[in-house]
Amino acid sequence: MKRILFIVACFLFSIVGVAQKQTPLKSLPLIPLPKDVKWSNDHFILSSQTKIVLMSDAFKPEVDYINNYFKANYGFELATVLVLPSDGNYILISRPDFEAGWLENYELNINQNQIFIVAEGNAGLFYAIQTLQQILPLEKSPEIKIPCVQIKDAPRYKWRGMHLDCSRHFFTKDEVKKYIDYLAMYKFNVFHWHLVDDQGWRIEIKKYPLLTSIGGTRKETIIGKAVWNKDGTPSKDNKYDGIAYGGFYTQNDIKEIVAYAQSKYITVLPEIEMPGHSLAALAAYPQFSCTGGSFETFTRWGVSDDVYCAGRDETFSFLEDILTEVMELFPGKYIHIGGDECLKDRWKACPKCQQRISVEKLKTEEGLQSYFITRIEKFVNSRGKQIIGWDEILEGGLAPNAALMSWRGVKGGIEAAKQKHNVVMSPGKPCYFDHYQSKDKTKEPLAIGGFNPLDSVYAYNPTPTFLNAGESEFIMGAQANVWTEYITSFAQVEYMSMPRMAALSEVLWTPTEKKNYKDFIIRLKLHAPALDKLGVNYAKHFKSLK
Ligand code: ACM
Ligand code: ZN
């Protein structure tokens, strides 16, 4: 330990020069901007002779990660040693002198001879490496010039999420992994995986194979925007493509993706919708509906009137069986149970649902929704997990331990925080990345509507300023949602989410007082070649901004 202290002391002495020669912050492609960053015009020269000094074996996975990166991008790996080399330059990875439980924090200090990384946890080291990667040159060279920097970093929020709807359109395992790569690059730590909806069931459940063999396919898909009759029914003028559409993830696929995300310190949050958005499941198992069916997986967008029957105990057994398999696949604390947009017409007409309302003294269908969610919560809690749901789960009373995801604005999130429930903010404005990002819609791919330009995302503050400290504590963070009714390919997922994802990363990571949109755009322009190298189909509107 003394030796490390000595090294750190020498290092601190050497960085005095770094701080003095600091140039304006604008010229490093760092996103999200670290909490505290200084740099000079000096460089560390990394070559195949550079050693990695590893002070803790626990950090080996991250050393392998960075070595894989060096090998893929520069054609060499670095040797790992346990003692300081007597000559040559090196990267020293160590833990801080005392542990404070800040597992995502790190320090990255680079002078002309050494790169020092200090992290208490593997996640912190991983984030230090993400930062380092952003300032590495993109060109292959035997001598890699890295700017001398002095960075102290820590996230603003503990929940930094991105969502992807794989029900309306299906994305392959490799595409999902690519999405996870982008999340990791910007230090997100939650991937919200929307696996189930009216238009397709995408997760293998061993006990109920029809969920994927029937619910995993729709016979065709509507073309463009739906046309509606005056009475709210879909018009006969709607056009369908006549092509069967399907796909699902096997449990092995899921395990592979969860492990892949875990290696990048990303928790996968599965969403299993209930009681609404459940038509694909009911197409496979109509006995859990109010009417008994029959049903087809939805071929158009929107919300189905048919939902799970809350009056049948068998519905709950069915969902508990599904959740049992889901909870075994996803190691995170939370399971997302949807809860949004459950139309109540079927419940109003269903004798079993009405009987439940009467026996349980629930008064209304909203009360029945609350009963449904609370009953599911009890089961999930009994297995050691927590539920999170969209803000409709407030209706009729929030289940006792539920966390809430606020999407219809922030009102629900504020209400839940006041009731001392954990909250993730995800208001349609500006967190729906399926909305348009440019005013000129004629130049954009067809989108669901709305307008969430890059600057509106950047300006977002997930914690309303009028909340008191005790209430703000319950705002865990925020996330953006990528619904895919009108997003038919992964290239379009990239277009809609990048660079808005980069802007959101700064909302979630960077201290508010350090944020500056003009500076962000300068850094984004510097960062764009890295996206080009990765082949990302990002939206380029920002390139014309001054
Ligand atoms: C939602 O957009 N229905 C959560
Ligand atoms: Zn019913």
Side-chain angles (χ1 to χ4, degrees):
M1 183 52 72
K2 270 195 185 130
R3 190 183 46 176
I4 298 176
L5 288 176
F6 174 72
I7 297 162
V8 173
C10 293
F11 172 74
L12 288 175
F13 186 70
S14 71
I15 58 175
V16 172
V18 172
Q20 279 170 353
K21 281 185 250 164
Q22 186 186 335
T23 48
L25 191 56
K26 294 185 184 98
S27 53
L28 286 180
L30 291 170
I31 297 176
L33 183 69
K35 186 174 180 187
D36 204 352
V37 47
K38 298 183 177 71
W39 83 90
S40 79
N41 289 323
D42 294 327
H43 288 89
F44 176 98
I45 306 293
L46 187 130
S47 72
S48 59
Q49 300 309 304
T50 301
K51 303 276 190 301
I52 297 180
V53 188
L54 189 57
M55 293 304 199
S56 167
D57 260 1
F59 288 151
K60 182 122 189 349
E62 282 64 47
V63 171
D64 291 343
Y65 170 90
I66 188 73
N67 257 333
N68 286 339
Y69 183 83
F70 286 143
K71 188 149 193 211
N73 288 275
Y74 306 115
F76 60 79
E77 287 182 40
L78 305 185
T80 305
V81 296
L82 298 175
V83 290
L84 289 178
S86 51
D87 59 357
N89 65 14
Y90 56 85
I91 302 174
L92 175 74
I93 299 172
S94 67
R95 292 184 185 280
D97 289 342
F98 62 92
E99 300 198 346
W102 303 112
L103 299 179
E104 295 189 312
N105 298 11
Y106 69 90
E107 289 186 36
L108 170 65
N109 293 308
I110 306 177
N111 64 33
Q112 285 163 289
N113 302 310
Q114 296 112 2
I115 295 179
F116 281 81
I117 301 176
V118 183
E120 193 178 325
N122 290 60
L125 174 55
F126 183 77
Y127 294 145
I129 292 169
Q130 296 309 308
T131 299
L132 178 62
Q133 276 177 262
Q134 289 186 347
I135 56 172
L136 291 174
L138 297 175
E139 311 74 47
K140 196 167 180 170
S141 157
E143 295 207 325
I144 303 162
K145 266 177 89 176
I146 308 175
C148 291
V149 294
Q150 198 189 338
I151 290 173
K152 256 190 176 179
D153 209 0
R156 180 176 171 205
Y157 287 104
K158 63 182 171 204
W159 186 295
R160 305 182 300 279
M162 281 296 304
H163 150 290
L164 183 63
D165 170 7
C166 293
S167 168
R168 274 57 175 267
H169 283 99
F170 178 76
F171 302 99
T172 65
K173 195 169 61 175
D174 285 343
E175 288 167 340
V176 172
K177 284 185 179 175
K178 229 189 232 185
Y179 194 68
I180 288 169
D181 289 345
Y182 304 154
L183 266 61
M185 173 165 67
Y186 298 128
K187 303 184 176 81
F188 285 87
N189 63 357
V190 178
F191 167 48
H192 175 168
W193 201 1
H194 189 76
L195 285 162
V196 166
D197 218 302
D198 293 312
Q199 293 81 5
W201 183 282
R202 309 269 175 244
I203 171 173
E204 178 190 24
I205 300 295
K206 304 251 189 218
K207 190 158 182 183
Y208 299 105
L210 303 185
L211 283 170
T212 42
S213 65
I214 292 177
T217 304
R218 56 178 179 259
K219 71 174 187 216
E220 58 187 356
T221 304
I222 193 167
I223 299 170
K225 287 265 162 93
V227 185
W228 300 93
N229 297 320
K230 281 207 179 94
D231 65 358
T233 55
S235 160
K236 282 207 197 70
D237 294 337
N238 284 318
K239 300 235 167 2
Y240 291 81
D241 64 6
I243 303 166
Y245 186 93
F248 69 93
Y249 307 97
T250 65
Q251 294 204 352
N252 280 339
D253 291 339
I254 304 254
K255 282 179 196 156
E256 190 180 321
I257 286 171
V258 166
Y260 186 77
Q262 247 173 349
S263 76
K264 296 179 176 232
Y265 301 94
I266 290 170
T267 301
V268 183
L269 172 73
E271 183 180 354
I272 306 297
E273 284 266 22
M274 62 189 78
H277 287 273
S278 45
L279 188 64
L282 296 178
Y285 295 96
Q287 62 269 41
F288 304 121
S289 69
C290 290
T291 64
S294 63
F295 309 108
E296 282 184 344
T297 308
F298 239 18
T299 54
R300 62 174 171 84
W301 316 125
V303 185
S304 157
D305 289 326
D306 288 290
V307 301
Y308 290 122
C309 177
R312 298 176 195 268
D313 285 330
E314 315 87 84
T315 304
F316 291 96
S317 308
F318 170 69
L319 289 169
E320 287 171 12
D321 289 343
I322 291 170
L323 290 171
T324 298
E325 292 193 31
V326 169
M327 286 188 278
E328 273 165 20
L329 289 167
F330 294 92
K333 169 178 168 183
Y334 287 105
I335 301 293
H336 201 305
I337 48 75
D340 58 319
E341 299 180 308
C342 177
L343 299 180
K344 308 290 192 305
D345 298 354
R346 294 291 183 262
W347 287 0
K348 281 182 184 149
C350 171
K352 284 190 164 18
C353 285
Q354 290 305 312
Q355 190 186 9
R356 179 84 74 194
I357 289 174
S358 159
V359 169
E360 299 289 337
K361 301 186 174 45
L362 302 170
K363 296 196 183 90
T364 61
E365 284 71 31
E366 280 67 36
L368 186 56
Q369 153 115 355
S370 176
Y371 167 87
F372 196 113
I373 301 295
T374 302
R375 184 161 167 175
I376 291 293
E377 175 180 79
K378 231 183 232 164
F379 175 75
V380 171
N381 288 172
S382 76
R383 304 298 165 103
K385 304 257 190 193
Q386 301 285 329
I387 63 160
I388 185 166
W390 300 110
D391 54 62
E392 286 91 333
I393 67 171
L394 271 164
E395 289 165 10
L398 202 47
N401 306 310
L404 184 130
M405 205 168 258
S406 194
W407 73 281
R408 297 176 302 174
V410 295
K411 205 163 148 262
I414 291 164
E415 177 56 33
K418 286 181 187 285
Q419 291 182 29
K420 301 192 187 316
H421 285 255
N422 283 329
V423 170
V424 175
M425 288 296 196
S426 194
K429 231 173 173 16
C431 292
Y432 272 37
F433 288 0
D434 55 336
H435 290 193
Y436 285 100
Q437 54 193 313
S438 155
K439 274 217 164 101
D440 187 354
K441 293 182 186 172
T442 62
K443 295 205 176 105
E444 297 295 320
L446 180 68
I448 198 161
F451 179 51
N452 287 331
L454 188 63
D455 58 348
S456 72
V457 177
Y458 193 82
Y460 182 53
N461 179 12
T463 306
T465 48
F466 53 81
L467 289 185
N468 66 36
E471 293 161 349
S472 310
E473 244 178 62
F474 291 97
I475 310 292
M476 296 194 286
Q479 70 173 45
N481 301 325
V482 182
W483 302 104
T484 60
E485 288 93 334
Y486 299 92
I487 300 179
T488 57
S489 68
F490 190 69
Q492 204 181 340
V493 169
E494 292 181 332
Y495 180 81
M496 298 305 275
S497 55
M498 309 276 259
R500 289 188 282 192
M501 186 194 293
L504 184 67
S505 78
E506 210 140 308
V507 168
L508 295 170
W509 186 279
T510 307
T512 312
E513 65 277 13
K514 297 276 170 84
K515 279 174 65 198
N516 177 302
Y517 186 60
K518 275 197 165 165
D519 180 57
F520 169 71
I521 293 299
I522 290 166
R523 284 180 283 111
L524 185 57
K525 287 178 184 172
L526 293 169
H527 168 69
L531 298 181
D532 291 328
K533 189 176 172 191
L534 288 170
V536 182
N537 180 42
Y538 60 95
K540 306 204 168 49
H541 310 88
F542 69 89
K543 292 205 168 182
S544 59
L545 296 176
K546 293 278 178 314

